[in-house]
């Protein structure tokens, strides 16, 4: 394949176009170096002095010239083939390249009018880079044309495929760094080509940039033999085209031939598939670009080789008061690009070079897909009330919450099939989490081989759950959302922790883009966490981890929301809200096993809208001050707390109990900290200022303490998961973590000494019950009948 490209390369670019493209590349490199180093004197119109250099030089040069090289070649093919294409910069810190190219094409000045296309604008462009009050050194939300932060090592290719799904006219150029390629998420992402439909989806053009080094080590893919590298990508289902060398003129010709070949192959694949309705999985093209790290930079610094080594990774040349001799070397480096040939007297790129960039929305920095809110349309939503579970009175019927939600999501999928803007993502857990109703209207999208007994596999589908990789599902969904569509990610609660860092990066993206008026809001990232910590009967300790909630609430209150609906009707109400919302991360935790149902749909809507409330039907403190507040958050903690309340009300009928249920976890935080938080007045009204609060919580108990530590009432006693578990019965797991009804009642008795002998006798009975329970489950392997068959009994409210 390399020989084929080499032979075709001769004459691909005319001498004049070659000269112009090389000049454009020089301009991009010059601007990149200027961003890293210069505080003043942007066009070097006077001899460079130390005071022209930033006092703190920060940035990454090593990947930058290669990315500049790629960008100018993508500009050429966009114009030649009239492509709808944008650029994902996977390498960690290629900020100077993307900022510089977006500036050269004119988009930066349109988005930021104060950065003008002249000497004054260049000075501001250079100064702002990695400078207080400026922009970061990587490709960030502030960079027009970006949907991917440079620091998100490993997710670029996943984002690219997410953007390409349901975008048949789009080509996503994804530049993968060879250090990045060593990460687990990226290594797995090469298999995303088994899910891309050549008829209904767009294309992804991966460009693997082999510059040989990471921070201070060589990279694996740059050091294996050519044959092995080609076989690896062939085995992953790609056709690699190699572009290798360091001579600029030769490399331009090779890259031009490779990009032409790749685009023509993509068009051939799509044309054949679309004209003949042929869904046969193709072998998509990719490009492997091997060029020196720090290409065109200093050959050596202080006698140490620099270009082509890891020394060029960050700032290759220290220029400060301790290295004054480097000022002249920096000047020679920058002048090697001949800026006087590239910019006019006013500092604007000369016209023959500006014409090389595409125009309007064809510029990669201005592509509408990279500002997905511009393209976003509301989902067509079914009436969730139609899926309401009939609840004649609290606790009288059983239901499986996520199974009921699955029917609602089925209708969402059906209503939006023709819009091609809604998908369900998850690592092979859609059926396990009881959302299988969606397969009544759609299939799993799957482009690989099918066999006789496969189910719900098809070349097109609104469900992508056939890859057992949380990283890929998360990345696909993020790319889908960032380019203006809607979706959700369903996962086992314990294993969502695998994408902690991906969630963090997306939350940071949302936070920063809220501060950029030109960035339009996108659809929310919706997590449905099922198969949760309290229902791991056969999986055991490894599947018990509710810690994602702790991780989520560390992010800015402007973008995170956490919901724990206690029953199916509440889940429907919450999820309808989440799918309609914009620019949040919504985390919803719900169970799939049969549970008592508590609220009618009308009651659920009110309760979820408020996010927290006193359940009057379970309380008996009407007209009195409560003796104790019994609070709960989560489906299983709610069940156990209500069972505890029923014991207390049966055996201690004079005890005044207030029952509080929390759906919106952030209600516990102060309104000064979170927009959903309760004011201190409202919090005290619900929880009182001084009564004991027994709080049964779904997750780790200290999370509730963190959210409420500023509140007046410090008599808060939280029960939750405390890292106790094994393969056991559902109730035994609750007992091991003290969230069961018996421990809760004992906790109340211990907090209220005025209960006297009545409390002491009841406590003894419950301690006996705990021993009886232990013996029973160890002998019979199931919970006691009184636990399995328990139902809420309505009590008369005594005034």
């Amino acid at each position: 394949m390399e020989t084929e490209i080499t032979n075709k390369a001769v004459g691909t670019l005319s001498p004049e176009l070659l000269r112009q493209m090389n000049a454009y590349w020089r301009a991009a490199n010059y601007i990149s170096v200027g961003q890293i180093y210069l505080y003043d004197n942007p066009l070097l119109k006077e001899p460079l002095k130390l005071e022209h250099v930033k006092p703190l030089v920060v940035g990454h040069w090593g990947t930058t010239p290669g990315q500049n090289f790629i960008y100018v070649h993508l500009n050429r093919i966009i114009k030649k083939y009239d492509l709808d294409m944008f650029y994902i910069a996977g390498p960690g810190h290629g900020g100077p390249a993307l900022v510089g190219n977006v500036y050269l094409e004119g988009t930066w000045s349109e988005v930021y009018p104060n950065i003008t296309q002249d000497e004054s604008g260049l000075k501001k462009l250079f100064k702002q880079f990695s400078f207080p009050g400026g922009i970061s050194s990587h490709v960030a939300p502030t960079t027009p044309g970006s949907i991917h932060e440079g620091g998100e090592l490993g997710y670029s290719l996943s984002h690219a495929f997410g953007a390409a799904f349901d975008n048949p006219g789009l080509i996503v150029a994804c530049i993968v760094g060879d250090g990045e390629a060593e990460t687990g998420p990226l290594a797995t992402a090469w298999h995303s080509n088994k899910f891309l439909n050549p008829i209904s989806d767009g294309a992804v053009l991966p460009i693997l940039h082999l510059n040989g080094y990471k921070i201070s080590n060589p990279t694996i893919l740059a050091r294996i033999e050519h044959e092995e590298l080609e076989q690896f990508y062939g085995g992953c289902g790609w056709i690699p085209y190699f572009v290798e060398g360091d001579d600029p003129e030769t490399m331009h010709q090779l890259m031009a031939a490779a990009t032409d070949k790749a685009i023509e192959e993509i068009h051939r694949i799509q044309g054949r598939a679309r004209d003949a309705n042929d869904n046969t999985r193709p072998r998509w093209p990719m490009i492997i670009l091997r060029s020196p790290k720090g290409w065109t930079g200093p050959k050596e610094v202080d006698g140490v080789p620099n270009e082509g080594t890891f020394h060029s990774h960050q700032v290759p040349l220290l220029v400060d008061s301790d290295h004054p001799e480097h000022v002249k070397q920096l000047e020679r480096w920058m002048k090697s690009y001949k800026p006087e040939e590239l910019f006019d007297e006013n500092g604007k790129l000369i016209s023959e070079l500006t014409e090389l960039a595409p125009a309007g929305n064809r510029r990669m920095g201005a592509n509408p897909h990279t500002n997905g809110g511009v393209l976003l349309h509301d989902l067509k939503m079914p009436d969730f009330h139609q899926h309401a579970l009939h609840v004649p009175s609290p606790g009288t019927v059983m239901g499986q919450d996520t199974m009921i939600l699955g029917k609602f999501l089925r209708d969402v999928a059906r209503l939006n099939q023709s819009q091609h803007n809604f998908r369900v993502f998850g690592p092979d857990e859609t059926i396990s989490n009881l959302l299988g109703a969606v397969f009544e209207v759609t299939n799993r999208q799957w482009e690989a081989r099918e066999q006789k007994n496969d189910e719900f596999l098809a070349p097109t589908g609104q469900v992508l759950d056939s890859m057992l990789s949380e990283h890929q599902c998360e990345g696909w969904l993020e790319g889908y959302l960032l380019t203006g569509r809607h979706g959700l990610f369903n996962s086992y609660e314990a294993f969502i922790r695998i994408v902690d860092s991906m969630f963090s990066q997306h939350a940071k993206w949302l936070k920063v883009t809220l501060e950029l008026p030109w960035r339009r809001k996108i659809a929310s990232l919706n997590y449905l966490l099922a198969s949760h910590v309290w229902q791991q009967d056969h999986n055991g300790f490894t599947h018990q981890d509710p810690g994602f909630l702790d991780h989520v609430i560390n992010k800015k209150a402007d973008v995170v929301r956490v919901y724990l609906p206690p029953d199916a009707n509440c889940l429907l109400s919450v999820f309808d809200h989440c799918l309609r919302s914009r620019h949040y991360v919504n985390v919803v935790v719900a169970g799939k096993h049969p549970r008592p149902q508590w609220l009618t749909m009308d009651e659920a809507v009110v309760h979820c809208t408020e996010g927290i409330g006193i359940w009057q039907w379970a309380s008996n403190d009407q007209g009195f001050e409560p003796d104790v507040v019994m609070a709960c958050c989560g489906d299983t903690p709610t069940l156990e707390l209500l069972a505890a309340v029923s014991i207390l009300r049966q055996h201690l009928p004079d005890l005044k109990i207030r029952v509080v249920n929390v759906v919106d976890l952030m209600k516990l935080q102060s309104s000064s900290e979170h927009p959903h938080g309760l004011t201190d007045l409202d919090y005290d009204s619900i929880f009182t200022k001084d009564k004991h609060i027994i709080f049964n919580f779904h997750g780790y108990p200290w999370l509730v303490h963190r959210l409420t530590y500023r509140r007046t009432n410090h008599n808060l006693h939280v029960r939750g998961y405390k890292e106790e578990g094994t393969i056991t019965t559902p109730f035994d797991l609750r007992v091991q973590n003290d969230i069961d009804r018996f421990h809760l009642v004992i906790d109340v008795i211990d907090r209220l000494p005025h209960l006297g002998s009545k409390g002491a006798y009841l406590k003894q009975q419950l301690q006996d019950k705990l021993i009886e329970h232990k013996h029973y489950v160890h002998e019979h392997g199931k919970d006691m009948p009184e636990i399995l068959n328990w139902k809420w009994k309505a009590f008369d409210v005594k005034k």
Side-chain angles (χ1 to χ4, degrees):
M1 189 61 64
E2 180 185 9
T3 301
E4 179 185 349
I5 294 296
T6 302
N7 291 338
K8 287 191 65 177
V10 179
T12 298
L13 301 177
S14 69
E16 179 63 11
L17 182 55
L18 172 60
R19 181 189 67 81
Q20 291 174 334
M21 289 181 66
N22 193 59
Y24 198 102
W25 182 45
R26 284 161 37 212
N29 286 337
Y30 179 85
I31 284 182
S32 297
V33 180
Q35 290 176 77
I36 294 173
Y37 284 97
L38 293 192
Y39 181 80
D40 201 353
N41 193 16
L43 290 173
L44 302 181
K45 288 184 176 180
E46 59 178 291
L48 190 65
K49 301 175 183 177
L50 187 58
E51 56 261 35
H52 297 151
V53 179
K54 295 175 182 179
L56 179 62
V57 177
V58 180
H60 288 70
W61 168 247
T63 181
T64 294
Q67 292 205 61
N68 286 331
F69 180 82
I70 293 168
Y71 205 101
V72 69
H73 279 271
L74 295 181
N75 279 344
R76 183 189 73 86
I77 59 172
I78 289 171
K79 292 192 68 174
K80 178 176 179 178
Y81 298 97
D82 188 26
L83 302 180
D84 186 4
M85 171 182 278
F86 71 86
Y87 186 115
I88 289 181
H93 289 269
L98 270 292
V99 172
N101 276 286
V102 172
Y103 175 79
L104 289 175
E105 71 186 20
T107 308
W108 194 279
S109 298
E110 292 174 11
V111 174
Y112 303 106
N114 64 312
I115 310 293
T116 48
Q117 296 277 307
D118 54 22
E119 185 175 2
S120 172
L122 270 180
K123 179 179 176 180
K124 293 177 182 177
L125 184 80
F126 290 176
K127 178 184 174 182
Q128 72 175 1
F129 181 81
S130 282
F131 199 84
I135 62 174
S136 60
S137 67
H138 55 273
V139 182
T142 50
T143 309
S146 172
I147 69 165
H148 176 88
E149 286 226 34
E152 295 181 83
L153 279 175
Y155 318 140
S156 59
L157 199 54
S158 308
H159 283 166
F161 275 91
F165 291 134
D166 291 326
N167 261 329
L170 181 67
I171 300 177
V172 185
C174 183
I175 289 66
V176 177
D178 47 354
E180 178 191 23
E182 295 176 6
T183 65
L186 199 290
T188 307
W190 296 113
H191 294 293
S192 296
N193 55 12
K194 283 77 174 177
F195 299 87
L196 197 71
N197 186 296
I199 298 175
S200 56
D201 297 327
V204 174
L205 176 59
I207 302 175
L208 175 63
H209 184 203
L210 295 180
N211 61 28
Y213 294 90
K214 304 183 279 284
I215 296 174
S216 62
N217 269 296
T219 58
I220 294 170
L221 295 181
R223 292 296 180 92
I224 64 176
E225 300 305 316
H226 185 287
E227 180 183 16
E228 185 179 357
L229 188 66
E230 187 170 20
Q231 288 175 345
F232 173 78
Y233 283 103
C236 290
W238 298 93
I239 300 176
Y241 303 149
F242 288 84
V243 177
E244 303 174 290
D246 60 3
D247 175 67
E249 289 195 6
T250 302
M251 290 290 280
H252 279 300
Q253 293 286 12
L254 289 171
M255 190 65 173
T259 50
D260 278 355
K261 178 70 174 175
I263 295 304
E264 289 167 7
E265 180 63 12
I266 288 171
H267 285 167
R268 185 190 68 79
I269 289 169
Q270 292 177 335
R272 181 188 62 197
R274 294 169 186 181
D275 293 344
N277 197 33
D278 181 1
N279 286 301
T280 303
R281 179 170 68 91
R283 297 295 184 102
W284 295 95
M286 65 173 291
I287 294 172
I288 298 178
L289 169 65
R290 190 189 299 271
S291 64
K293 196 174 184 76
W295 196 11
T296 75
K299 299 293 184 183
E300 64 176 46
V301 177
D302 298 332
V304 178
N306 193 278
E307 184 191 49
T309 77
F310 73 85
H311 293 292
S312 67
H313 177 73
Q314 295 183 357
V315 178
L317 189 67
L318 293 177
V319 183
D320 54 28
S321 58
D322 294 330
H323 302 84
E325 71 280 6
H326 288 172
V327 174
K328 288 300 181 184
Q329 188 173 1
L330 173 61
E331 185 177 43
R332 289 194 300 272
W333 175 17
M334 295 194 71
K335 284 190 172 182
S336 72
Y337 299 117
K338 301 180 181 180
E340 69 280 2
E341 297 177 2
L342 309 174
F343 303 95
D344 64 22
E345 188 64 24
N346 296 320
K348 181 178 175 60
L349 189 69
I350 61 176
S351 58
E352 72 166 331
L353 299 185
T354 60
E355 293 173 0
L356 294 182
N361 287 347
R362 284 296 194 245
R363 294 172 297 177
M364 288 188 284
N367 191 298
H369 293 94
T370 63
N371 191 2
V374 174
L375 304 176
L376 185 65
H377 296 286
D378 290 342
L379 284 173
K380 295 181 178 179
M381 294 293 289
D383 182 359
F384 67 92
H385 293 80
Q386 295 178 356
H387 297 279
L389 195 64
H390 178 59
V391 181
S393 62
T396 56
V397 299
M398 301 289 282
Q400 293 175 271
D401 298 357
T402 56
M403 180 178 287
I404 293 166
L405 177 67
K407 297 174 182 178
F408 170 70
L409 295 177
R410 172 200 63 198
D411 291 354
V412 176
R414 176 178 51 80
L415 288 173
N416 293 279
Q417 278 180 329
S418 62
Q419 307 300 310
H420 306 291
N421 68 339
F422 175 76
R423 292 210 184 205
V424 176
F425 298 81
D428 192 22
E429 288 162 4
T430 305
I431 288 179
S432 176
N433 287 328
L434 300 191
L435 305 179
V438 296
F439 294 122
E440 296 173 18
V441 298
T442 188
N443 288 298
R444 300 178 168 111
Q445 184 156 314
W446 173 262
E447 295 297 316
R449 183 164 49 90
E450 295 181 40
Q451 294 184 352
K452 180 180 179 181
N453 295 320
D454 291 338
E455 292 186 296
F456 312 126
L457 297 182
T460 59
Q462 290 168 280
V463 178
L464 279 163
D465 77 337
S466 298
M467 194 170 191
L468 197 59
S469 169
E470 285 82 0
H471 288 122
Q472 301 318 310
C473 295
E474 172 81 14
W476 291 344
L477 175 56
E478 288 178 3
Y480 200 69
L481 299 174
L482 288 161
T483 49
R485 282 75 65 75
H486 306 258
L488 65 99
F489 183 171
N490 78 99
S491 173
Y492 286 8
E493 182 182 38
F495 297 146
I496 200 65
R497 302 307 308 272
I498 293 170
V499 299
D500 274 2
S501 62
M502 298 183 73
F503 151 76
S504 292
Q505 295 293 340
H506 190 79
K508 289 174 184 290
W509 181 279
L510 295 179
K511 185 262 184 187
V512 173
T513 53
L514 276 177
E515 301 163 5
L516 300 172
W518 60 273
R519 285 275 188 186
R520 299 282 291 276
K521 290 184 177 182
I522 61 173
S524 297
L525 171 56
N526 298 308
Y527 291 102
L528 174 65
L529 307 185
S531 300
H532 60 54
V533 60
W534 300 112
Q535 53 190 51
Q536 295 303 328
D537 317 357
H538 62 286
N539 287 318
F541 194 45
T542 58
H543 286 53
Q544 297 160 9
D545 186 348
F548 191 63
L549 302 184
D550 301 65
H551 182 53
V552 167
I553 70 159
N554 289 324
K555 301 307 172 209
K556 291 294 289 187
D558 291 343
V559 298
V560 294
R561 304 288 185 266
V562 179
Y563 302 99
L564 293 99
D567 65 6
N569 286 338
C570 289
L571 177 59
L572 288 168
S573 178
V574 163
F575 229 89
D576 178 80
H577 166 76
C578 291
L579 289 177
R580 296 176 187 271
S581 67
R582 296 285 184 274
H583 226 71
Y584 295 129
V585 176
N586 296 310
V587 180
V588 182
V589 183
K592 64 183 184 182
H593 290 311
R595 289 283 185 269
Q597 302 294 307
W598 308 111
L599 303 182
T600 68
M601 180 54 80
D602 289 343
E603 292 168 340
V605 170
V606 172
H607 184 47
C608 294
T609 302
E610 294 174 345
I612 187 173
I614 299 171
W615 278 3
Q616 297 185 35
W617 52 267
S619 307
N620 67 341
D621 67 325
Q622 295 88 341
F624 301 90
E625 279 292 301
D627 295 307
V628 65
V629 176
M630 304 284 283
C632 49
C633 182
D635 60 353
T636 301
T638 297
L639 166 63
E640 288 302 314
L641 185 120
L642 288 172
V645 169
S646 70
I647 294 172
L648 287 167
R649 291 189 61 179
Q650 178 182 353
H651 292 273
L652 302 171
D654 294 330
L655 184 68
K656 300 305 178 187
I657 303 170
R658 176 176 297 176
V659 177
V660 176
N661 182 264
V662 180
V663 176
D664 182 346
L665 185 62
M666 309 317 293
K667 286 288 181 180
L668 298 177
Q669 201 166 24
S670 171
S671 58
S672 64
E673 300 290 324
H674 194 283
H676 283 197
L678 292 174
T679 65
D680 286 339
L681 184 65
D682 287 341
Y683 184 91
D684 292 344
S685 175
I686 292 173
F687 289 103
T688 77
K689 290 185 177 183
D690 57 2
K691 303 301 181 183
H692 286 286
I693 305 167
I694 309 299
F695 199 119
N696 217 26
F697 180 51
H698 173 87
Y700 291 110
W702 42 85
L703 177 55
V704 175
H705 286 289
R706 286 175 57 196
L707 293 172
T708 59
Y709 78 99
R710 290 186 175 181
R711 300 298 191 179
T712 302
N713 190 345
H714 289 168
N715 291 318
L716 176 64
H717 318 286
V718 186
R719 300 293 169 259
Y721 185 67
K722 57 179 189 178
E723 286 295 320
E724 293 292 340
T726 181
I727 295 177
T728 187
T729 67
F731 185 72
D732 191 50
L733 180 60
R734 303 167 207 166
V735 170
Q736 290 183 30
N737 289 275
D738 299 344
I739 76 157
D740 64 284
R741 60 200 71 181
F742 302 143
H743 277 103
L744 292 174
V745 173
I746 292 171
D747 208 2
V748 172
I749 294 169
D750 288 344
R751 306 292 174 183
L752 302 175
H754 73 272
L755 294 175
S757 62
K758 286 187 176 180
Y761 275 92
L762 178 57
K763 179 177 178 179
Q764 181 65 58
Q765 292 178 41
L766 299 181
Q767 289 173 332
D768 294 345
K769 274 291 179 188
L770 286 169
I771 295 173
E772 180 187 351
H773 151 76
K774 183 177 181 179
H775 291 315
Y776 189 91
V777 297
H778 285 181
E779 181 177 353
H780 299 282
K782 61 181 180 179
D783 289 320
M784 297 186 295
E786 66 187 83
I787 301 297
L788 294 173
N789 300 325
W790 178 85
K791 293 188 181 300
W792 172 260
K793 176 184 176 182
F795 292 87
D796 293 331
V797 178
K798 296 182 179 180
K799 300 292 185 181

